[in-house]
Amino acid sequence: MLQNYQINLMASKLLWVLFSLMMIPTTYTVFYNLTVLLEWNMLTISSTPIMLTLIMDPLGLMFSCTVLMISANVLKFSTIYMGDDKFINRFTVLVLLFVLSMNMLIFLPHLMMLLLGWDGLGIVSFILVIYYQNPKSLAAGMITALTNRIGDVVLLLAIAWTLNQGHWNILHMWTSNENNWQILAITIAAMTKSAQVPFSSWLPAAMAAPTPVSALVHSSTLVTAGVFLLIRFYNFMSTSWWFSSLLLLTAVLTTLMAGLSATTECDMKKIIALSTLSQLGMMMAAMGLNMVHLAFFHMITHALFKALLFVCAGSFIHGHMHSQDLRWMGNLSNQMPTASSCLVMANLALCGFPFMSGFYSKDLIVEASLFYTHNLLMLMLILVAVGLTSFYSVRFSLSVIWGMNNSGPFTHLEESKSLTSPMLVLASMSVISGASILWVAPLKQQMMCIPSYQKFMPLILVLLGASMAWLMSTTTQKNNSLLLNLPLNHYASCMTWFLVPISSQLMLKLPMYMSHNYLKLTDQSWLEMMGGQGFNKLSVNISNTLMSSSSSMPVNYLLMSSVVGLTTLLILL
């Protein structure tokens, strides 16, 4: 019955209805800057109440509307991309569960109840990553699930350390001896979910999931769950002196590592995944620089243009028989003009080009970091990451849109309405959302007066990165950068600074070596010789020796049998 009912055709319309209904309280709370808190006392365990707490504030409602709108467009896109799948209804239900888990994480500020959405995201993401049921998908799903389980464990530890406060509501935390441990546990949980260094290897691996899942995971769900958790906890966590410094260091390393890795990658979806990693580092860096509202602003705008980027990439992959290699594509500006135009708009927003949505959030973060007094090295690395974003975005566009066509002669490219309508909706939001949120939302950003050269520095870095990518992509192979031709640098870049083997093979190598040697030296050697096999061999040798040394008389056989039987009985007793 479930197969006969086309859930995939109705899911997008259902999410659009929910989005329209959600816009009413969102508009009201944003306009009046209100926060509504609802608490329902479910039960009490030794004077500790277990409450279901709902919070409706401008930040949560705006983010929920963004999640619903992106999910509606992604499900509309999946009707074409996953149209030949026999189990598309099951896929749609899993995506709806994913959206439900993210909304539970948004609206439940209670640590115990927050686990429902937190674990829901981890379980459903594992099922979606292994959706294609092949060894590569299983390996990617395992590293995704195990990395997220680290975050689940430390979140459970934070719940245990908060027990002495008599509640688990993150809005009412007070100072205690366990504060530093709680803050460290929540920070590690957020870093695992948002794939910060050293937990970054699962994010590119999760590209084994279908492209609609990637569009949802990398834009507004799962990876942004860690950022949103820190935004919710920020007032409590910023009381620790080391929190901002630790967050800034890991965020800058993540942004730099992802930017350098994306410059040498040839897999289309992995380049976009690494750009997600880079922008997540930018959001975390903004929080590390005490600009929590700008981090939230960039999270909203990034979700919109990143979903657009994945939908455009998915249409290219669908047209090229599900090939993801940049080197098999080219000249798509003439064959798929709508998707190519939307891809250029998404890349411009990603780079922070003036008057696109990414410009208003990313430029504000860079300007604020220049305006306030911060560590010079961290600031320089952030500026380098801005230039790297422009570099790999232009390289990506040159290979796919304006480069020569390298695909087969029988490739059929078309743009149906189910492909173009989500693109156009997300493209329009990628243009207008930045300015709209900046004018409407209460971001609490003060005026900043900086010199002209600092004001134009982000734009100069964007143009510099774009021009370098243009020169390196249009010249011959002999004139390419020496850094890309060095084997060590190339492997380090493709393996995200060797985090992939470190987080998988390196951790398993010593236990595997020890267990293999134990199997050879103990289980299959000494235990066999001292156990049943050795005793059997010894008894056979003794009996053969006795038989060969004695004459073949019946009395000797009876005597030998009785001796062996008595010996065996004594051993058993």
Side-chain angles (χ1 to χ4, degrees):
M1 180 179 178
L2 190 63
Q3 290 293 327
N4 296 330
Y5 185 70
Q6 295 297 318
I7 301 175
N8 60 310
L9 300 178
M10 298 298 298
S12 178
K13 298 175 183 177
L14 172 66
L15 289 177
W16 275 118
V17 171
L18 291 175
F19 170 72
S20 304
L21 294 175
M22 192 66 74
M23 281 299 293
I24 299 171
T26 303
T27 307
Y28 185 79
T29 54
V30 170
F31 186 77
Y32 289 103
N33 196 16
L34 293 176
T35 298
V36 180
L37 195 67
L38 303 174
E39 289 186 343
W40 174 44
N41 194 346
M42 295 166 55
L43 63 128
T44 303
I45 303 174
S46 64
S47 75
T48 299
I50 305 294
M51 291 186 294
L52 177 63
T53 308
L54 293 176
I55 183 170
M56 301 179 71
D57 62 333
L59 300 182
L61 286 167
M62 284 173 64
F63 192 47
S64 178
C65 286
T66 307
V67 170
L68 290 173
M69 190 195 71
I70 291 173
S71 306
N73 285 292
V74 166
L75 283 173
K76 180 74 172 176
F77 163 69
S78 67
T79 57
I80 294 294
Y81 190 88
M82 309 284 291
D84 298 330
D85 193 348
K86 293 181 180 179
F87 305 105
I88 187 170
N89 284 342
R90 183 175 67 184
F91 172 80
T92 307
V93 170
L94 287 171
V95 171
L96 290 175
L97 285 174
F98 208 59
V99 177
L100 175 65
S101 299
M102 191 64 202
N103 277 281
M104 290 175 70
L105 184 72
I106 292 170
F107 292 116
L108 298 177
H110 192 276
L111 269 176
M112 290 282 283
M113 298 298 143
L114 181 136
L115 270 178
L116 295 174
W118 189 265
D119 276 337
L121 284 174
I123 294 167
V124 178
S125 66
F126 172 72
I127 298 172
L128 287 171
V129 168
I130 65 170
Y131 185 80
Y132 285 136
Q133 298 181 11
N134 53 45
K136 180 184 175 184
S137 298
L138 180 60
M142 287 304 295
I143 193 171
T144 301
L146 292 175
T147 307
N148 283 312
R149 289 312 290 171
I150 298 173
D152 299 343
V153 169
V154 292
L155 198 61
L156 286 170
L157 288 174
I159 290 173
W161 282 321
T162 317
L163 184 65
N164 64 344
Q165 298 202 6
H167 68 91
W168 285 288
N169 196 320
I170 64 176
L171 305 175
H172 306 310
M173 294 284 191
W174 59 73
T175 304
S176 64
N177 295 330
E178 288 80 19
N179 266 18
N180 283 330
W181 295 107
Q182 293 168 10
I183 292 170
L184 181 62
I186 296 167
T187 305
I188 293 174
M191 285 168 61
T192 55
K193 219 62 161 186
S194 294
Q196 301 296 296
V197 171
F199 308 108
S200 304
S201 59
W202 72 264
L203 191 63
M207 288 295 97
T211 304
V213 176
S214 303
L216 200 56
V217 164
H218 289 258
S219 60
S220 55
T221 58
L222 193 62
V223 293
T224 53
V227 180
F228 191 79
L229 185 73
L230 289 184
I231 291 173
R232 274 270 187 261
F233 275 90
Y234 188 77
N235 290 332
F236 164 63
M237 300 184 72
S238 58
T239 56
S240 184
W241 62 269
W242 49 264
F243 168 70
S244 296
S245 303
L246 175 65
L247 201 62
L248 181 62
L249 177 63
T250 56
V252 169
L253 288 177
T254 305
T255 305
L256 194 64
M257 184 247 333
L260 289 171
S261 299
T263 57
T264 56
E265 188 60 61
C266 292
D267 190 326
M268 176 187 286
K269 285 176 67 175
K270 280 195 176 180
I271 290 176
I272 306 176
L274 289 167
S275 73
T276 301
L277 200 54
S278 176
Q279 300 309 306
L280 287 170
M282 191 66 72
M283 298 170 206
M284 292 285 196
M287 273 191 286
L289 298 172
N290 302 319
M291 298 179 288
V292 63
H293 287 88
L294 291 184
F296 176 78
F297 184 23
H298 191 51
M299 184 171 68
I300 295 287
T301 56
H302 167 262
L304 294 167
F305 63 73
K306 188 50 60 72
L308 173 62
L309 204 56
F310 265 110
V311 169
C312 295
S315 65
F316 296 154
I317 293 169
H318 180 66
H320 288 82
M321 295 176 288
H322 292 268
S323 172
Q324 299 175 192
D325 201 321
L326 291 177
R327 295 165 292 189
W328 289 99
M329 301 181 187
N331 197 27
L332 292 177
S333 57
N334 295 325
Q335 302 172 68
M336 302 181 74
T338 305
S340 301
S341 303
C342 292
L343 182 74
V344 171
M345 293 169 66
N347 274 329
L348 287 175
L350 175 65
C351 295
F353 197 78
F355 309 115
M356 302 295 287
S357 63
F359 166 76
Y360 292 96
S361 56
K362 198 171 182 180
D363 197 69
L364 264 179
I365 292 173
V366 177
E367 286 182 12
S369 61
L370 290 169
F371 178 72
Y372 298 111
T373 304
H374 294 298
N375 189 302
L376 181 61
L377 177 62
M378 296 291 109
L379 178 59
M380 295 299 293
L381 292 178
I382 289 173
L383 294 175
V384 170
V386 171
L388 286 173
T389 304
S390 176
F391 181 92
Y392 62 71
S393 298
V394 172
R395 172 178 171 264
F396 178 79
S397 300
L398 284 171
S399 301
V400 174
I401 299 176
W402 300 304
M404 61 184 291
N405 189 6
N406 296 316
S407 61
F410 302 108
T411 303
H412 177 61
L413 300 174
E414 62 175 353
E415 293 182 333
S416 62
K417 186 179 178 182
S418 294
L419 284 178
T420 55
S421 57
M423 287 182 203
L424 294 174
V425 171
L426 291 170
S428 60
M429 293 305 296
S430 297
V431 175
I432 66 174
S433 63
S436 303
I437 295 173
L438 192 62
W439 292 336
V440 174
L443 295 176
K444 302 178 183 177
Q445 183 59 42
Q446 66 181 27
M447 294 291 293
M448 294 180 293
C449 298
I450 59 176
S452 299
Y453 73 92
Q454 291 185 4
K455 178 71 177 175
F456 288 106
M457 190 174 290
L459 181 60
I460 292 169
L461 288 169
V462 167
L463 296 176
L464 183 63
S467 52
M468 285 182 64
W470 180 277
L471 290 173
M472 291 177 62
S473 299
T474 53
T475 53
T476 59
Q477 184 69 26
K478 294 180 180 178
N479 295 328
N480 268 345
S481 173
L482 183 62
L483 289 176
L484 300 184
N485 296 325
L486 289 174
L488 180 63
N489 181 75
H490 184 75
Y491 291 139
S493 180
C494 291
M495 294 184 182
T496 57
W497 287 0
F498 299 109
L499 282 177
V500 175
I502 286 173
S503 58
S504 54
Q505 291 97 331
L506 184 67
M507 296 178 67
L508 297 174
K509 188 174 182 180
L510 182 60
M512 186 70 181
Y513 178 76
M514 291 173 63
S515 61
H516 186 60
N517 282 338
Y518 171 79
L519 182 67
K520 289 194 301 182
L521 299 176
T522 308
D523 190 49
Q524 294 180 351
S525 59
W526 288 108
L527 288 181
E528 291 289 352
M529 293 305 296
M530 296 172 64
Q533 188 174 351
F535 180 74
N536 178 56
K537 187 176 180 181
L538 179 64
S539 62
V540 168
N541 290 334
I542 293 173
S543 63
N544 289 336
T545 304
L546 291 174
M547 288 177 63
S548 61
S549 62
S550 61
S551 59
S552 56
M553 295 178 63
V555 178
N556 294 335
Y557 286 109
L558 290 173
L559 182 61
M560 192 183 308
S561 305
S562 60
V563 170
V564 171
L566 286 173
T567 306
T568 307
L569 186 62
L570 288 173
I571 292 173
L572 291 175
L573 291 175

